[in-house]
Amino acid sequence: MGMSYQIAAFYHFADFPDYKDWQAKLYAVMKPHNMMRGTILLADEGINGTVCGDKKAVQILLNFIRQDERFRALAVKYSESENHSFSRLKVRLKKEIVSLGQDGVNPARDTGMHVAPEKWNALISRDDVLVIDTRNIYEVEIGTFSNATHPQTTNFRQFPDYVQQALSDDDKNRPIAMFCTGGIRCEKASAYMKQQGFQEVYQLDGGILQYLENVPKEESLWQGECFVFDQRVTVDHDLQEGNHLQCYACRMPLKPDEAEHPHYQKGLSCHHCYGTKSEKKQQGLLMREKQIALARERVSRL
């Protein structure tokens, strides 16, 4: 039996003007550990990341981040995988750790009320509550809460347009409950809605992943699988790897039978994006697929 890898997903909003200095520091902490892979985003609004590696290396990283007083309360969601969930290690400097594209939105100072997963069912079952899934449409199609409203966004930056076009002044006095995968998008979305004058805004604490971990399956109001941003693609209610694949050319999740479609070529195309890439882009995707295969082979030998 092979080794088990620990996956740690985390984020924290904070005033972080020195974020650029942290890029080299985080590389210095993680690079000595050959098994550490994943992506960490840094911006002046905080930190957001998902990493995978052996448990000791993951804890060394998290302990380093929490040494800074601003990130002492860093919340982390853990899961396990028999396979490594990432092929590379990246620490990126960004304008936002989750891109909404709206000035003045600061979740570190004002955000919605956090609702524990154990109390979520009661809240979203109320007739007066508007439940909003802040994720993208391809995520919603894989799984969601049965009574949720879906903004039909293809990226999170479209969420403000949904609020302005679909919600009215009357909704500003209505209880609104939002959720996303791990909490970061609905935290920023709730901060935006508070800025726009919505009075009673709630968010699922820890997101869908925490709900699946805390709420027994027989009591769950969740339907389907949950998309995750790593090589597992989706997880089921037991947080085990789901049944979906992913097209790494356009990032769309695919049902197992969609891999049999004649337009599916691993790493190059699927029926969603076939024929949309230039020859130069296709060559780049082919080279990327070869590099990923080599990286996975190296990881499997460690």
Side-chain angles (χ1 to χ4, degrees):
M1 183 177 179
M3 71 173 291
S4 175
Y5 298 96
Q6 185 173 69
I7 302 166
F10 54 88
Y11 76 90
H12 192 77
F13 288 100
D15 291 327
F16 196 21
D18 55 326
Y19 71 96
K20 293 181 180 179
D21 299 337
W22 275 56
Q23 186 177 43
K25 293 178 182 178
L26 291 174
Y27 273 129
V29 171
M30 292 187 290
K31 278 190 173 180
H33 303 280
N34 292 330
M35 302 304 295
M36 182 69 79
R37 302 284 191 276
T39 299
I40 297 177
L41 306 180
L42 303 173
D44 61 7
E45 67 176 4
I47 187 169
N48 175 24
T50 304
V51 297
C52 179
D54 66 77
K55 292 182 179 180
K56 181 179 179 180
V58 169
Q59 288 307 311
I60 288 174
L61 168 65
L62 297 176
N63 289 342
F64 173 81
I65 296 172
R66 286 173 171 148
Q67 284 177 358
D68 189 292
E69 186 176 353
R70 293 168 295 186
F71 302 114
R72 199 68 52 82
L74 182 76
V76 183
K77 286 177 285 297
Y78 297 101
S79 54
E80 304 288 331
S81 176
E82 293 183 4
N83 301 304
H84 211 295
S85 297
F86 299 96
S87 57
R88 292 182 292 172
L89 173 63
K90 295 175 286 186
V91 181
R92 291 180 169 175
L93 304 178
K94 301 292 239 178
K95 184 177 179 180
E96 302 175 84
I97 58 172
V98 57
S99 297
L100 188 65
Q102 299 291 313
D103 294 333
V105 178
N106 190 341
R109 298 176 186 173
D110 189 22
T111 189
M113 293 174 279
H114 290 237
V115 179
E118 295 83 358
K119 297 183 178 180
W120 182 250
N121 286 357
L123 175 64
I124 67 173
S125 297
R126 286 168 43 186
D127 292 336
D128 62 327
V129 174
L130 174 61
V131 184
I132 302 177
D133 189 335
T134 65
R135 302 172 305 147
N136 299 323
I137 184 61
Y138 64 86
E139 300 172 78
V140 174
E141 290 175 349
I142 292 172
T144 188
F145 290 103
S146 57
N147 58 343
T149 295
H150 313 129
Q152 304 293 307
T153 54
T154 56
N155 65 74
F156 187 53
R157 294 174 70 92
Q158 295 173 351
F159 184 80
D161 292 335
Y162 160 76
V163 173
Q164 297 301 323
Q165 296 169 13
L167 302 183
S168 66
D169 287 340
D170 289 340
D171 290 317
K172 291 185 177 181
N173 296 312
R174 181 182 181 184
I176 294 176
M178 297 188 294
F179 64 93
C180 61
T181 307
I184 188 170
R185 280 178 283 183
C186 57
E187 184 142 1
K188 195 155 192 183
S190 70
Y192 169 75
M193 295 186 76
K194 294 292 291 294
Q195 181 196 66
Q196 296 300 306
F198 290 82
Q199 299 299 310
E200 192 175 350
V201 183
Y202 301 92
Q203 63 190 73
L204 175 57
D205 193 20
I208 300 162
L209 296 179
Q210 197 67 55
Y211 178 90
L212 297 180
E213 181 176 343
N214 290 21
V215 177
K217 188 183 300 186
E218 59 272 16
E219 299 175 12
S220 176
L221 298 181
W222 177 260
Q223 297 181 344
E225 294 184 348
C226 178
F227 180 84
V228 290
F229 294 90
D230 59 56
Q231 292 176 10
R232 295 172 297 172
V233 185
T234 62
V235 294
D236 60 21
H237 205 291
D238 297 318
L239 296 178
Q240 299 300 307
E241 186 172 333
N243 295 316
H244 287 72
L245 308 171
Q246 187 172 34
C247 173
Y248 288 101
C250 67
R251 314 305 295 179
M252 288 293 289
L254 306 171
K255 297 176 182 178
D257 60 351
E258 290 178 322
E260 304 301 320
H261 195 283
H263 290 164
Y264 177 76
Q265 293 178 278
K266 186 178 180 182
L268 299 179
S269 68
C270 70
H271 65 285
H272 294 290
C273 64
Y274 181 80
T276 65
K277 310 294 183 184
S278 67
E279 183 65 28
K280 181 178 180 180
K281 181 65 174 179
Q282 290 179 28
Q283 291 299 317
L285 290 169
L286 182 61
M287 181 62 68
R288 179 180 181 274
E289 183 64 23
K290 290 180 179 178
Q291 291 173 342
I292 289 174
L294 289 172
R296 287 174 178 167
E297 184 179 343
R298 287 195 297 269
V299 168
S300 67
R301 291 200 301 262
L302 293 175

